[in-house]
Amino acid sequence: MVNISKVQQAAVLLFARQGFAATGIRELGGAAGINSATIYHYAGSKEELLVQVMRSCLDEMITSGAAAMRISAEPTIQLAALVSSHVGFTATNPLTARVAEYEMRALSPDNRTAMQKLRDDYESLFAQVVERGIRVGDFSTDDATMARLALMEMGTGVAHWYRPDGRLTLIEVQHNFVAMACKILSANQTMLDGIDYIRPPVVVASEPTGTSVTISG
Amino acid sequence: MVNISKVQQAAVLLFARQGFAATGIRELGGAAGINSATIYHYAGSKEELLVQVMRSCLDEMITSGAAAMRISAEPTIQLAALVSSHVGFTATNPLTARVAEYEMRALSPDNRTAMQKLRDDYESLFAQVVERGIRVGDFSTDDATMARLALMEMGTGVAHWYRPDGRLTLIEVQHNFVAMACKILSANQTMLDGIDYIRPPVVVASEPTGTSVTISG
Amino acid sequence: MVNISKVQQAAVLLFARQGFAATGIRELGGAAGINSATIYHYAGSKEELLVQVMRSCLDEMITSGAAAMRISAEPTIQLAALVSSHVGFTATNPLTARVAEYEMRALSPDNRTAMQKLRDDYESLFAQVVERGIRVGDFSTDDATMARLALMEMGTGVAHWYRPDGRLTLIEVQHNFVAMACKILSANQTMLDGIDYIRPPVVVASEPTGTSVTISG
Amino acid sequence: MVNISKVQQAAVLLFARQGFAATGIRELGGAAGINSATIYHYAGSKEELLVQVMRSCLDEMITSGAAAMRISAEPTIQLAALVSSHVGFTATNPLTARVAEYEMRALSPDNRTAMQKLRDDYESLFAQVVERGIRVGDFSTDDATMARLALMEMGTGVAHWYRPDGRLTLIEVQHNFVAMACKILSANQTMLDGIDYIRPPVVVASEPTGTSVTISG
DNA sequence: CATGAATGAGTTTTCATTCAT
DNA sequence: CATGAATGAAAACTCATTCAT
């Protein structure tokens, strides 16, 4: 229970830095402080290790996102909660999130299908909010799809630069992104006044701790 | 002159699909229709092939972006031109752009430093526009850095979904992104009325043609 | 402990026959009865395998030679003991000795420097004996350096033709070489009467056994 | 006629330094100042280039050695002439001689047989002289074969250390070796007084010029 | 004569994985 | 649980050689 996280954290750290394909199983063992053969006690293969990490990451994103949407029936508040959740998760688990995003291509067809399904489920949360906001007249945009994609891309980008000890607190970043999202969708930001739509983000087991790594590219 | 593009296009296609590390030199040869050993006539190593591709991509992005900024002294028009250039390039050369972005980590330290320098040069174009727009009071945002990063991230995301034969023309997409950019920076979009800030994007030699590949992840 | 000798013996056998550069790692594995990849458990590289062999060979030559010189303070007896040791070692470990001599050039600069140092240490034993013998008037020659080199070259040549089951016993060969050495240096052979200056030579772990190979060239 | 020597000299230089197997055809071209493909105008293969060099070297050694033996019918004078010739040739063509000796093993069976035949022919000159000198009572040794081998080995060793600009002139070295040979065979050196048994050595076309290379090993 | 381009077979080394201990 | 040893397959890269120009 404690060791498996160590392995997953080592995996995420190295996969994020170098990519799945460029990371060897021996390297993983070394980073986790165990013999490389021992990894096969925790995961049947290198790919399964990646799948474990991706699945728990996407599961948590979906769970948090769905919970965020349940705090209100108002599209604008749902949008704020969802964007906050997304940005919060991404900023809190930057390496895991990055791996879950980048390494889809490393999966074999079966696993890829399964993981893509989870990602699609997650993205559909955004699609639902945007679509309903437009339908009820709270949002307005030239192109709903493009707006949604831009929204997510932006939020995901947080993983590239956010640092807990940086210039801005996480909450500031979240508010900022909510503001940008509202602008993009021409939503009325004042609807959010006095609403506490931010939930503290979960730290997933696979996220390395104490590593302030700079990942380039 | 014709062969080297063929090799580069094969490289970009496979690097974009599978990643640099997961692409073999034999695979590259096969995709380019030549013996794998022949690749070493065009590039001293697999990494050098990647560097060639990245360098020409980043060079072109910088050239186009700098040219875009010269069409006017108005920050809003510069912003529109720069965003259009970025989106246009990314949509026209999605695979090359993707490789140039994703595979920075695959480079050895020396090459990485050199390529990162080019990317920094390019990003500084955005920083300059945003900073000047704010200074002269044409733009307004809670956080300039975050806005700039969101702007670029958004535009880069185009490579993930834009298809020439898709629902929207490139020009529509460009206008749309310019609109979103203006919203994010609270810029006055009417300043763009009647201004032709879009230049046709260049197709770089390494961009595969006739491939409507779907890249996931 | 048993396997590493097997690998080293295979290496020495093939390196002696064909040379280091002309011997493949697969060939080595085949000769040692193991998979070629397994060789990398015993040595980090093909060159390291060579270094292992050379180092243990030269270490043993130095140890034996130094011991030989300690059996007496008389230059003539030291000469006899050193020549016997050299000839004995070379005849007992012909392939290893040959590899240690011929393949110096196959080493990378760092390893070459280290191995050359060992060889220089060994050769200096001969230089010391010859020099002291001349100084105290026991030896006489037109040119000390040339005599020493000729002495060593001669002895090393034993590896090219000596066979344990040949016409002469090892002890006969040793006595013969001692006689030639004395002639070259005009030393008084009668000083050796009744002196037992021959020690049984050591068989190094890398010397192939049961192989009556003819090495040409 | 001028170019073929250049190629052969480059070959000898590199083969002596690194060995035949470790020398690439491109490297040879580079050292000879021509394209690697052009080498195939001068020799049908890398091995043929080696054969050319070895054959002309051994031919010249046999010719010179045979001529040396014709200067007298006296075994002692023949010995002096043959040893002088051997040492002279080896010191004058150290790299070529070294290649001809070391790289026999690099040859394919057919070529090896042919070259070994030449070497055997050459060695038989020494065998003849020693045998006849013993038969007529001019020489005396415990073991004729061993003496002959030691004699040749010693002389060949000259290639390892002799330098034209060194401490000793070639003639001094030759006289020295003749003296050592006489000692080994207990021949009467005074028989050589006043006899001019030294012929100036030939420089073979393949011997690199102006290169004072140190070859280790 | 000379060469740049090309290639199939080869090189050393690393890979993910298995298994006896 | 943990590991050192082992391995077949594959990695990137180099090889000697050919040939059209």
Side-chain angles (χ1 to χ4, degrees), chain D residues 21-101:
Chain D
T23 301
I25 209 90
R26 275 183 168 82
E27 211 175 355
L28 280 171
I34 58 174
N35 185 282
S36 62
T38 307
I39 290 178
Y40 289 88
H41 286 288
Y42 298 111
S45 68
K46 198 175 88 158
E47 181 172 347
E48 201 194 286
L49 190 54
L50 175 59
V51 169
Q52 283 176 11
V53 165
M54 290 181 72
R55 188 187 306 277
S56 64
C57 175
L58 289 165
D59 279 350
E60 179 54 39
M61 289 175 84
I62 291 170
T63 304
S64 303
M69 287 182 64
R70 281 194 301 272
I71 73 166
S72 166
E74 287 290 338
T76 303
I77 298 175
Q78 286 184 325
L79 177 72
L82 191 53
V83 166
S84 296
S85 172
H86 184 63
V87 168
F89 183 89
T90 303
T92 306
N93 306 280
L95 301 187
T96 301
R98 183 190 174 89
V99 167
E101 187 197 357

Side-chain angles (χ1 to χ4, degrees), chain C:
Chain C
M1 287 303 161
V2 58
N3 271 342
I4 183 138
S5 307
K6 203 172 50 175
V7 172
Q8 287 179 347
Q9 287 176 19
V12 163
L13 185 59
L14 294 176
F15 291 169
R17 235 186 231 157
Q18 315 166 340
F20 175 80
T23 301
I25 211 89
R26 273 185 169 90
E27 210 175 355
L28 279 172
I34 58 173
N35 186 283
S36 63
T38 306
I39 290 178
Y40 290 87
H41 277 278
Y42 298 112
S45 67
K46 200 176 85 160
E47 180 172 345
E48 201 194 287
L49 189 54
L50 175 58
V51 169
Q52 283 177 11
V53 165
M54 290 181 72
R55 189 187 305 277
S56 64
C57 175
L58 290 165
D59 278 350
E60 179 53 39
M61 290 175 83
I62 291 170
T63 304
S64 303
M69 286 183 64
R70 281 194 299 272
I71 72 169
S72 168
E74 287 291 338
T76 304
I77 298 175
Q78 287 185 324
L79 177 72
L82 191 54
V83 166
S84 296
S85 173
H86 184 64
V87 168
F89 182 89
T90 303
T92 307
N93 307 280
L95 301 188
T96 301
R98 182 190 175 89
V99 167
E101 187 197 356
Y102 271 47
E103 300 298 347
M104 202 72 90
R105 65 183 178 189
L107 297 172
S108 59
D110 280 3
N111 283 328
R112 166 127 51 150
T113 303
M115 292 304 109
Q116 192 60 52
K117 165 82 171 55
L118 291 181
R119 177 158 293 278
D120 290 346
D121 287 350
Y122 181 61
E123 298 198 356
S124 83
L125 296 179
F126 285 79
Q128 285 165 39
V129 167
V130 169
E131 186 265 339
R132 213 167 63 88
I134 289 172
R135 185 148 39 85
V136 305
D138 286 358
F139 302 161
S140 143
T141 175
D142 292 340
D143 188 88
T145 304
M146 208 182 305
R148 168 176 58 88
L149 289 165
L151 223 63
M152 298 200 65
E153 206 79 48
M154 242 170 55
T156 301
V158 171
H160 295 0
W161 55 265
Y162 176 77
R163 300 285 170 270
D165 53 353
R167 190 166 47 84
L168 302 166
T169 66
L170 175 54
I171 292 198
E172 286 171 331
V173 173
Q174 286 170 304
H175 279 133
N176 230 318
F177 269 89
V178 168
M180 289 196 285
C182 287
K183 285 179 180 169
I184 286 177
L185 289 166
S186 303
N188 182 6
Q189 263 193 263
T190 61
M191 288 203 51
L192 302 173
D193 287 349
I195 309 282
D196 178 23
Y197 52 80
I198 295 185
R199 294 285 171 275
V202 166
V203 182
V204 294
S206 59
E207 186 65 22
T209 56
T211 325
S212 56
V213 207
T214 303
I215 303 281
S216 58

Side-chain angles (χ1 to χ4, degrees), chain D residues 119-141:
Chain D
R119 179 160 289 278
D120 290 346
D121 287 351
Y122 181 62
E123 297 196 358
S124 84
L125 296 180
F126 285 78
Q128 286 166 40
V129 167
V130 170
E131 187 265 338
R132 214 167 63 87
I134 290 172
R135 187 149 37 83
V136 306
D138 286 358
F139 302 160
S140 142
T141 175

Side-chain angles (χ1 to χ4, degrees), chain A residues 66-86:
Chain A
M69 287 182 64
R70 280 195 300 275
I71 72 167
S72 166
E74 287 290 339
T76 303
I77 298 175
Q78 287 183 324
L79 177 72
L82 191 54
V83 166
S84 296
S85 172
H86 185 63

Side-chain angles (χ1 to χ4, degrees), chain A residues 17 19 101 103 105 112 142-143 146 149-150 153-154 157 160-161 167-168 176-177 183-184 186 216-217, chain B residues 17 19 101 103 105 112 142-143 146 149-150 153-154 157 160-161 167-168 176 183-184 186 216-217:
Chain A
R17 234 186 233 157
E101 186 197 357
E103 300 298 345
R105 64 185 179 188
R112 164 127 54 151
D142 293 339
D143 188 87
M146 208 182 305
L149 288 165
E153 206 79 47
M154 245 169 52
H160 295 0
W161 55 265
R167 190 167 47 86
L168 301 167
N176 230 318
F177 269 89
K183 284 178 181 169
I184 286 177
S186 301
S216 58
Chain B
R17 233 186 232 158
E101 187 197 358
E103 300 299 347
R105 66 184 178 188
R112 167 126 53 149
D142 292 340
D143 190 87
M146 208 181 304
L149 289 165
E153 207 78 48
M154 242 170 52
H160 294 1
W161 54 265
R167 192 167 45 85
L168 301 167
N176 230 317
K183 285 178 181 171
I184 286 177
S186 301
S216 58

